[in-house]
Amino acid sequence: MYTDLKLFIDGQWLNGEGRKGEDVVNPATGKVLARLPHASKADLDAALAAAEKGFKVWKATSAYDRAKLMRKAADLLRERAEHIAKVQTQEQGKIFAESKAEVMTSADIIDWYAEEGRRTYGRIVPGRQKGVRQIVTQEPIGVVAAFTPWNFPTLTPVRKIAGALAAGCSILIKASEETPGGCVELVKCFADAGVPQGVVNLVFGVPAEVSEHLIASDIVKKISFTGSIPVGKLLAGLAAKGMKKATMELGGHSPVVVFGDADPEKAADTIAAFKYRNAGQVCISPTRFYVQEPSYNKFVARFVEYAKNIKLGDGLEKGTTMGPLANPRRLDAMESIVNDAKSRGGKIQTGGNRHGNQGYFFQPTVITDIPDDSKIMTQEPFGPIAPIVPFKTFDEVVERANSLEYGLAAYAFTSSSATAQAIGDAIQSGMVGVNSVAVSTPETPFGGVKESGYGSEGSIEGLEAYMNVKFISQA
Ligand code: NAD
């Protein structure tokens, strides 16, 4: 029912024979699902050579033919969505409905990039002298090394694979060792669609060893990483040594601003549902909630009611509305956040504890009366804890919302179009949802500012991230 975990190098699926490896665990039960093989140094070198060869073939393939193969992969992903969703739920914990939505969105991302890859237009700039043609064109960067985390096993890899392939690049991806199955299934779709050997390669291993080896290779021309800020800084440093382009999609600490003119209960329903998606383990998860004073009590009451109604359980069981945390590190982090909040006078309105005695479950939690310098208000929780605090004025809330070094996503609720425009402009963030949480779609740029990283995925910016601009002056 789970999946056979393998490496994929130069069009071949490789199993664990003679290789080191690690167990993959179901976070709902703590039981081992399968053994994951690690790539040896020789495997990594074979993958690099394959990607170099694959790049030559893929670059020479027309954008039209690349798009056809990519769309086929997207269709296979849709056909296999039920199975892949089950694989993801077992390894990562998110509920089946979310898991399936992730797979279907991943297929849409492939389709979007496939189409957009056919529109990588250049331009002709009038020359200063008669007869001179000035051509601006775009070329695929080359071999991409990508590294993805455990919270979205299919979605984070697909953004990188589809972006690279649409641009004409080949890719070597190291997906998460904790949730490898989603990416194995995704790569299978590309392989079964007929993408040529060496164009997509998948490896696993000890993250620091694999990333150091791949990024140092002359074959790799572009790095794309999604994960934590400390690891992002490390990889950006390795990329800088070889002056390699990098896209860094790192952590966030999204502020939510609920103005007094918004319907507090409607806002609470919308944002609480978004908060507890994937048990809060989402980089754009709403994190700090600032509510203007007249609406504060109503908002808190409704949010707490929502949290209390969540049904915790195995994501494959019917009726479950929130699954476990993905690993025991997150449980420890939640306990440390709650202890810090309590020691600072924070009031636990609901939750605050582990749930059950198997797996890594933590209760949906709401904390109030918490100072701005507490852990939950300053460090990315990546879990189901929501701190809600009051504010008085626009300027005050903007200052508080912009006070951290994170800048990935932000949300605001208001019924005034003037306030909507003002808050959208004032927040320092890569993405702002005003009366909306739809900040991540295939067609729109996804990425952060400040320490949340640089570069965008999705949209035309996401495609440009895999291309070099070239100017040809022709006399
Ligand atoms: P972590 O920093 O150890 O790892 C984050 C991810 O980076 C993991 O997938 C890991 O396998 C990978 N990684 C770690 N070291 C690496 C290296 N040297 N080279 C390449 N990849 C490497 O943290 P964690 O305990 O797995 O997650 C905790 C924090 O990570 C969360 O609190 C959150 O801030 C952040 N995170 C962010 C995202 C995101 O979508 N931006 C996703 C997952 C985790």
Side-chain angles (χ1 to χ4, degrees):
M1 193 177 162
Y2 184 59
T3 189
D4 207 4
L5 299 174
K6 291 184 176 179
L7 311 170
F8 188 64
I9 296 173
D10 203 12
Q12 309 299 317
W13 289 101
L14 306 172
N15 64 24
E17 264 171 31
R19 293 182 172 85
K20 289 184 182 160
E22 67 188 281
D23 289 338
V24 176
V25 170
N26 182 338
T29 61
K31 294 200 175 113
V32 173
L33 287 166
R35 182 96 185 145
L36 174 73
H38 281 185
S40 64
K41 282 252 160 70
D43 288 329
L44 295 180
D45 288 336
L48 284 165
E52 189 175 33
K53 194 183 66 180
F55 175 54
K56 289 194 186 117
V57 175
W58 196 238
K59 188 185 173 191
T61 306
S62 72
Y64 177 79
D65 287 331
R66 292 198 296 247
K68 271 207 297 200
L69 287 174
M70 289 177 68
R71 284 202 309 268
K72 202 164 165 193
D75 288 342
L76 289 174
L77 200 56
R78 288 188 188 96
E79 275 171 29
R80 301 172 186 178
E82 290 273 320
H83 167 65
I84 302 175
K86 281 183 192 153
V87 168
Q88 283 195 150
T89 294
Q90 289 174 82
E91 64 187 8
Q92 201 274 339
K94 68 182 62 173
I95 58 170
F96 178 77
E98 285 179 20
S99 200
K100 181 143 181 227
E102 177 180 343
V103 178
M104 298 306 273
T105 304
S106 298
D108 285 353
I109 288 173
I110 302 174
D111 275 344
W112 192 86
Y113 268 122
E115 289 303 320
E116 202 58 19
R118 298 173 62 194
R119 301 187 191 104
T120 51
Y121 308 128
R123 63 189 192 274
I124 306 238
V125 181
R128 290 189 170 206
Q129 275 128 28
K130 197 164 177 261
V132 171
R133 255 176 199 275
Q134 304 193 113
I135 303 160
V136 180
T137 184
Q138 299 187 75
E139 293 182 336
I141 287 188
V143 173
V144 176
F147 307 90
T148 54
W150 43 262
N151 54 339
F152 285 91
T154 307
L155 191 81
T156 46
V158 85
R159 282 196 171 128
K160 300 178 195 311
I161 297 174
L165 264 55
C169 297
S170 63
I171 188 164
L172 215 169
I173 186 158
K174 187 205 79 60
S176 164
E177 287 71 24
E178 292 174 302
T179 60
C183 193
V184 166
E185 292 290 339
L186 172 67
V187 168
K188 255 188 221 165
C189 293
F190 282 101
D192 295 350
V195 168
Q197 258 176 263
V199 174
V200 179
N201 303 274
L202 172 65
V203 296
F204 299 99
V206 176
E209 290 172 12
V210 178
S211 57
E212 210 174 304
H213 192 79
L214 296 184
I215 297 173
S217 165
D218 287 342
I219 292 172
V220 168
K221 303 295 185 222
K222 153 96 192 175
I223 319 299
S224 183
F225 172 71
T226 299
S228 65
I229 292 174
V231 175
K233 286 182 177 173
L234 185 82
L235 300 197
L238 295 176
K241 278 191 191 163
M243 202 50 77
K244 296 178 185 185
K245 281 196 181 177
T247 298
M248 292 285 153
E249 203 278 274
L250 310 178
H253 201 288
S254 310
V256 178
V257 180
V258 182
F259 289 98
D261 59 9
D263 177 338
E265 294 181 333
K266 202 169 147 205
D269 285 344
T270 305
I271 207 73
F274 205 52
K275 167 72 212 173
Y276 295 112
R277 188 172 67 117
N278 199 8
Q281 302 165 113
V282 185
C283 51
I284 56 166
S285 185
T287 308
R288 299 166 271 154
F289 299 78
Y290 302 101
V291 184
Q292 207 161 22
E293 275 182 340
S295 299
Y296 181 73
N297 289 337
K298 267 194 182 169
F299 181 89
V300 171
R302 187 64 165 243
F303 202 105
V304 168
E305 187 188 329
Y306 188 98
K308 281 184 173 162
N309 282 331
I310 288 174
K311 186 165 180 291
L312 266 178
D314 187 322
L316 287 183
E317 271 164 27
K318 262 212 163 110
T320 301
T321 52
M322 192 178 101
L325 297 175
N327 55 57
R329 299 189 300 286
R330 302 282 10 106
L331 268 186
D332 296 344
M334 295 311 106
E335 279 171 349
S336 144
I337 285 169
V338 169
N339 290 339
D340 173 78
K342 283 181 182 162
S343 74
R344 288 159 177 275
K347 290 192 184 133
I348 312 296
Q349 300 291 342
T350 185
N353 294 302
R354 292 182 66 153
H355 168 87
N357 52 12
Q358 71 158 18
Y360 315 132
F361 292 93
F362 197 85
Q363 297 168 335
T365 300
V366 179
I367 307 179
T368 58
D369 301 271
I370 183 89
D372 278 2
D373 63 353
S374 58
K375 238 184 195 180
I376 183 65
M377 294 296 280
T378 54
Q379 295 175 21
E380 186 175 31
F382 233 61
I385 303 183
I388 312 179
V389 293
F391 76 91
K392 286 194 174 77
T393 68
F394 182 91
D395 290 346
E396 171 211 331
V397 81
V398 166
E399 196 183 324
R400 289 167 78 188
N402 287 341
S403 64
L404 302 186
E405 276 312 308
Y406 298 91
L408 189 58
Y411 307 92
F413 293 87
T414 175
S415 59
S416 147
S417 54
T419 307
Q421 192 174 329
I423 193 74
D425 290 346
I427 297 263
Q428 297 165 352
S429 181
M431 293 156 290
V432 186
V434 184
N435 298 322
S436 164
V437 292
V439 296
S440 171
T441 73
E443 306 79 19
T444 52
F446 185 97
V449 296
K450 297 160 97 177
E451 292 212 348
S452 292
Y454 42 73
S456 297
E457 300 198 280
S459 189
I460 46 177
E461 288 83 4
L463 191 60
E464 282 165 5
Y466 294 98
M467 308 195 85
N468 284 327
V469 173
K470 186 184 225 174
F471 166 55
I472 303 170
S473 177
Q474 203 178 298

